Amino acid sequence: MTVSEIFDSMDYGTAPESAAEALAWLVDGGDRFGHFIDGAMTAPADGFESRNPATGEVLATLTHATQSDVDAAVTAARKAFGRWSKRPGHERAKYLYALARLVQKHARLFAVLETLDNGKPIRESRDIDVPLVARHFYYHAGLAQLIDSELPGHAPLGVCGQIIPWNFPLLMLAWKVAPALAAGNTVVLKPAEYTSLTALLFADICREAGLPKGVVNIVTGDGAVGEMIVNHKGIDKIAFTGSTQVGRAIRAATAGSGKALTLELGGKSPYIVFDDADLDSAVEGLVDAIWFNQGQVCCAGSRLLVQEGVADAFYAKLRARMDKLRIGDPLDKCIDVGALVDPVQQQRVTHMVDANTGGDTYRAACPLPETGCYYPPTLITGLAPSDALMQEEIFGPVLVGCTFRTPAEAVQLANNTRYGLAASVWSENVNLALDIAPKLVAGVVWVNGTNMFDAAAGFGGMRESGFGREGGWEGLQAYLKPDHPTKPLKPILPHSKPEEPEVADPLDRTAKLFIGGKQARPDGGYSRAVYTPRGRLLGHMGLGSRKDIRNAVEAANSARSWAKTTAHLRAQILYYIAENLSARRTEFADRISDLTGQHGKTAKAEVDAAIARLFTYGAWADKFDGAVHGVPLRGVAMAMNEPVGVIGALCPDDLPLLGLVSVMAPAIAMGNACVLIPSEPFPLAATDFYQVLETSDLPAGVVNIVTGSHAELAAPMAAHMNLDAVWSFSSTDLSKTIEREAAGNLKRTWVNNARTRDWFNAAGEGRAFLQAATEVKNIWVPYGE
Ligand code: NAI
């Protein structure tokens, strides 16, 4: 090519990065690797090959972990946990700082190895993945430093099993390992089978940093090894990033085990372009949204929604830009789009796109290398919202889109998905953008931007995109538990029918259910007699059924506008409930005494504590503030606490009034509607309590009460698709049923595994409840020039 031709085409020459150092590191390792357990590499054993997807060449042979490898890793992590968790935060901060520095020192090696192993362009691994990894360790060195003073009363969880995907191999490792270590946990991590090499290099720097043996353990292998970790009895928490399908299986597999769980799953994130957007910036944003990392990004802006009036102009600009994308050797610094991770993934994407018959498909005109796992940047427009490609995660460089007319329609289309990970909003009108952002069901919303990440801002999804956040103070919470003592709770049974029951009161005293603001008879028409401990008949309770749960959930869903009321109004109503309860204090105390057999003074104390609790959440309603995170960009990342939605809860059995109020008040203070199943043995305090609710200006449907058997109602409640969270404080251990049934729509669960909690004291109220009642949404708003 002559100089004049180069000037004419303004084409770049190739600028390949050298792979020599990374290949030498592989040779040093003998091209065969074992696991990293208890501070040392094990001898290589039977395994599998790790290939460069751009060329197909074998980079190394890795060992497939056996059950005894996983056992050894868990044992090492358990042994290390004792000392590691007891070190002052500052000690752990020093190690995290050392890891951050070593990542920076070996940045080039990490970047090249990542690109060789994964196929992503070196520009990305060098400028995005690896710097974000270092930033993550720095940030968490800071959290480790501050944890003792800022989060007293918290303890680490123990041994964390961490399973990560192949799209950001080292970055996902950092997102998992850094907060776990900062909080004082130890780790058994499994990288994805396609991309384990940077994790093994990370093992090297753990040794270089002098990290105590067993704090980080890395085992390699496929999903079968993942399952061994998930099912291991010696593990206290599972943190998983990957497909929704596997996430759901893990939710079901860990049900009832007492293991903590966070899931970062798939997405089909909307990318909304309004007609007043800066269209050129929005096109450039799309290059980042869907062609960054070949579209293999869980939060990829993979669903384009463009306002009708500008759609044609926008598509034309987009196609022109696509044609200019450069696809090829990922090690070439001039490349925009590299190789997909593996032929399996290439075939998956090909099959999905080939099966589509709708819309217009446009493939970028840029030339494709002849060999290697490449797939052309593709745009499919004119699809219907229900088309498979508009709903399913493609996880490749394929953008699908349709148009909308009004902002309301944009919101409707954007939320028409089972996922809720991320969203981008493009508009030059700040009023419009900030009106739309809170309406989108997504854990992260970027205004006039996309794929912005930082260690200080939590990342994570809603709906079937999983639960839990990674990054920021909120992410750290997922590796901590409150440090209050608990012990096993025995099932509390109703007082039984005496041998010679007294003559029944001729007046029917069957307490009804409370659904949609009205008293309702149980659908099945059954009831159960409720006695005092001495056998006096107090009345009857309605036995709620699956159908009553359905009605209650429906009523709660029609009260979702409660979330839009002001926090001030919610506070006022909580105070008003307290005032009305206070007026009937003696009557409630007598009722509790009759039901439970408690001394009058103790029963009065319960009523007083319930009144105080209502005040607590009246106080919190307008004070559980979000945050503005200090992310490194000209702009703000606003962390907003949003209500979870509709919460179903099994209330504590032992304290029929305080237990119910302690669960209800934080839920409604944060704007949720709820379905409460009160104390099973002592339900009549709850049915008296709804008379208080009826006179306290609470809108119909915000609180619904269904009395009945916890064991019978737990499953239909946990399985209901229109519930967003289920909590259980029952004395019957229903955690397995609830967590297993909740896997359907991956609703949040908070279960006690039938362990006690001191409802009268700090363990019975406060931030843990407020956090369970909210989801953090991070809205990124860049500004300035
Ligand atoms: P995957 O979810 O199967 O793999 C992720 C990780 O989980 C890997 O480390 C894998 O070994 C492990 N794993 C697999 N089965 C497991 C099991 N039963 N128990 C425990 N661990 C298990 O993802 P895969 O098959 O690699 O990709 C398939 C699709 O999943 C992609 O096309 C994409 O749509 C989606 N995906 C989404 C990711 C995200 O970040 N949201 C990341 C990776 C994949």
Side-chain angles (χ1 to χ4, degrees):
M1 197 181 243
T2 65
V3 172
S4 109
E5 279 168 348
I6 290 174
F7 271 114
D8 274 350
S9 71
M10 288 303 281
D11 208 357
Y12 298 96
T14 56
E17 174 70 58
S18 164
E21 202 190 341
L23 294 174
W25 179 82
L26 292 170
V27 172
D28 276 356
D31 295 332
R32 287 170 62 79
F33 292 84
H35 313 294
F36 180 59
I37 297 176
D38 206 17
M41 292 303 293
T42 62
D46 285 353
F48 57 101
E49 288 169 340
S50 191
R51 287 171 188 270
N52 177 346
T55 60
E57 102 195 79
V58 176
L59 294 168
T61 306
L62 307 177
T63 301
H64 196 276
T66 60
Q67 184 65 50
S68 65
D69 293 329
V70 174
D71 290 347
V74 173
T75 305
R78 174 65 55 200
K79 206 168 93 208
F81 176 68
R83 287 193 63 185
W84 179 250
S85 59
K86 288 188 189 70
R87 283 171 191 263
H90 173 59
E91 294 294 316
R92 297 198 301 273
K94 284 196 283 187
Y95 286 110
L96 287 161
Y97 172 70
L99 290 171
R101 294 286 295 126
L102 286 165
V103 168
Q104 285 183 314
K105 186 172 151 191
H106 298 298
R108 182 161 290 238
L109 175 58
F110 270 118
V112 175
L113 194 61
E114 194 76 306
T115 285
L116 283 173
D117 203 15
N118 168 279
K120 63 174 67 199
I122 185 73
R123 265 193 313 129
E124 293 177 9
S125 47
R126 183 194 63 192
D127 299 344
I128 298 171
D129 294 53
V130 175
L132 278 175
V133 170
R135 160 93 182 123
H136 221 74
F137 280 103
Y138 273 115
Y139 178 85
H140 284 86
L143 286 185
Q145 179 72 26
L146 298 177
I147 203 166
D148 296 339
S149 60
E150 295 303 305
L151 292 173
H154 286 79
L157 298 168
V159 177
C160 300
Q162 307 188 314
I163 300 166
I164 57 173
W166 39 259
N167 51 349
F168 294 91
L170 187 67
L171 185 58
M172 289 302 105
L173 174 149
W175 280 23
K176 296 277 181 285
V177 170
L181 266 48
N185 302 278
T186 55
V187 161
V188 175
L189 176 128
K190 189 195 84 64
E193 52 273 41
Y194 303 131
T195 55
S196 305
L197 298 180
T198 46
L200 295 170
L201 175 58
F202 181 78
D204 266 7
I205 73 158
C206 288
R207 285 192 288 185
E208 203 176 333
L211 193 70
K213 286 185 199 172
V215 169
V216 168
N217 303 275
I218 298 170
V219 291
T220 50
D222 62 12
V225 181
E227 280 182 53
M228 291 177 205
I229 294 175
V230 166
N231 295 324
H232 205 290
K233 294 227 164 14
I235 284 184
D236 303 291
K237 178 199 163 109
I238 297 292
F240 172 78
T241 299
S243 59
T244 292
Q245 188 194 357
V246 173
R248 188 173 281 125
I250 292 178
R251 166 70 295 177
T254 55
S257 65
K259 287 187 180 107
L261 178 65
T262 43
L263 298 173
E264 300 287 351
L265 309 175
K268 191 76 186 176
S269 299
Y271 188 99
I272 310 169
V273 182
F274 285 100
D275 59 7
D276 62 355
D278 171 349
L279 296 188
D280 292 314
S281 297
V283 165
E284 222 39 54
L286 262 176
V287 173
D288 249 0
I290 186 67
W291 293 302
F292 169 54
N293 204 19
Q294 297 67 249
Q296 302 166 128
V297 183
C298 51
C299 54
S302 53
R303 205 158 41 102
L304 172 64
L305 307 175
V306 56
Q307 199 154 11
E308 206 172 73
V310 294
D312 288 341
F314 188 74
Y315 292 152
K317 281 176 186 284
L318 183 56
R319 289 189 192 110
R321 181 68 182 90
M322 286 167 71
D323 292 344
K324 294 269 182 233
L325 290 170
R326 294 170 61 96
I327 310 185
D329 176 10
L331 278 175
D332 182 346
K333 284 171 258 182
C334 297
I335 283 301
D336 299 309
V337 181
L340 299 189
V341 71
D342 192 84
V344 169
Q345 191 61 14
Q346 189 189 26
Q347 281 153 22
R348 249 191 101 248
V349 175
T350 307
H351 285 150
M352 283 184 86
V353 175
D354 289 355
N356 171 58
T357 50
D360 298 318
T361 301
Y362 182 79
R363 291 197 166 82
C366 47
L368 230 56
E370 277 168 17
T371 57
C373 293
Y374 294 96
Y375 194 88
T378 304
L379 168 69
I380 307 176
T381 51
L383 289 175
S386 58
D387 282 338
L389 289 191
M390 288 290 278
Q391 293 293 333
E392 301 301 325
E393 187 177 39
I394 302 174
F395 227 63
V398 183
L399 176 66
V400 297
C402 68
T403 59
F404 66 88
R405 290 185 183 173
T406 62
E409 198 190 349
V411 171
Q412 219 173 21
L413 286 169
N415 291 341
N416 178 19
T417 166
R418 62 198 172 102
Y419 297 111
L421 195 50
S424 286
V425 180
W426 290 78
S427 166
E428 290 297 291
N429 176 352
V430 69
N431 289 321
L432 178 65
L434 294 183
D435 176 48
I436 298 296
K439 294 178 179 161
L440 298 172
V441 183
V444 188
V445 179
W446 296 294
V447 172
N448 293 330
T450 188
N451 279 342
M452 289 181 264
F453 310 104
D454 185 57
F459 180 89
M462 300 180 182
R463 294 184 177 164
E464 294 185 32
S465 293
F467 41 78
R469 294 289 178 269
E470 294 190 309
W473 287 99
E474 63 249 39
L476 191 68
Q477 294 289 345
Y479 286 95
L480 290 167
K481 60 181 177 189
D483 196 10
H484 55 71
T486 62
K487 51 182 199 294
L489 193 58
K490 289 206 187 81
I492 301 170
L493 303 173
H495 301 304
S496 48
K497 186 177 175 181
E499 285 190 1
E500 287 181 32
E502 65 182 31
V503 179
D505 188 333
L507 292 179
D508 176 22
R509 288 192 296 163
T510 304
K512 299 199 178 81
L513 317 181
F514 185 58
I515 296 178
K518 295 200 182 80
Q519 299 190 20
R521 281 183 204 291
D523 182 74
Y526 290 108
S527 59
R528 190 195 86 205
V530 180
Y531 298 97
T532 66
R534 294 195 172 173
R536 178 162 57 89
L537 180 69
L538 282 173
H540 287 79
M541 65 177 276
L543 283 176
S545 65
R546 174 183 294 269
K547 187 132 185 237
D548 298 307
I549 292 289
R550 277 214 304 265
N551 293 341
V553 173
E554 199 176 312
N557 271 286
S558 30
R560 276 185 191 259
S561 57
W562 175 245
K564 295 191 192 129
T565 56
T566 64
H568 173 63
L569 177 81
R570 297 197 295 269
Q572 275 182 298
I573 290 180
L574 280 157
Y575 289 130
Y576 195 25
I577 298 172
E579 184 186 322
N580 287 329
L581 178 59
S582 175
R584 294 172 62 177
R585 177 171 174 264
T586 315
E587 181 197 329
F588 268 91
D590 290 346
R591 181 62 120 180
I592 292 169
S593 217
D594 279 347
L595 282 164
T596 62
Q598 278 170 7
H599 195 275
K601 236 168 100 183
T602 321
K604 273 207 178 75
E606 182 177 339
V607 181
D608 289 344
I611 294 167
R613 193 127 300 162
L614 288 160
F615 262 67
T616 297
Y617 290 107
W620 269 121
D622 54 4
K623 294 177 192 64
F624 190 54
D625 296 330
V628 177
H629 290 308
V631 290
L633 98 153
R634 279 176 57 81
V636 290
M638 299 180 291
M640 294 179 42
N641 290 325
E642 293 189 346
V644 168
V646 178
I647 300 175
L650 299 174
C651 300
D653 285 318
D654 45 347
L655 295 158
L657 180 66
L658 179 61
L660 179 115
V661 166
S662 300
V663 171
M664 176 201 80
I668 65 174
M670 294 297 103
N672 300 283
C674 55
V675 175
L676 304 176
I677 304 178
S679 163
E680 180 175 342
F682 316 129
L684 300 184
T687 53
D688 291 351
F689 184 69
Y690 63 58
Q691 297 162 8
V692 172
L693 297 179
E694 281 174 322
T695 55
S696 302
D697 294 345
L698 188 72
V702 174
V703 174
N704 304 277
I705 297 178
V706 178
T707 51
S709 151
H710 285 188
E712 278 173 31
L713 297 179
M717 189 159 78
H720 202 297
M721 296 302 265
N722 292 336
L723 267 183
D724 303 291
V726 175
W727 301 349
S728 173
F729 302 101
S730 177
S731 65
T732 310
D733 189 0
L734 295 162
S735 49
K736 184 161 189 163
T737 307
I738 290 173
E739 291 182 332
R740 195 187 51 221
E741 296 298 326
N745 69 345
L746 285 164
K747 57 176 71 68
R748 288 91 190 95
T749 54
W750 187 21
V751 295
N752 66 346
N753 291 79
R755 293 192 72 82
T756 56
R757 173 182 291 268
D758 183 353
W759 291 100
F760 279 94
N761 289 311
E765 66 177 21
R767 286 185 181 272
F769 288 82
L770 297 164
Q771 277 158 3
T774 50
E775 295 263 24
V776 183
K777 176 188 275 179
N778 274 283
I779 302 178
W780 292 63
V781 189
Y783 55 69
E785 291 174 2

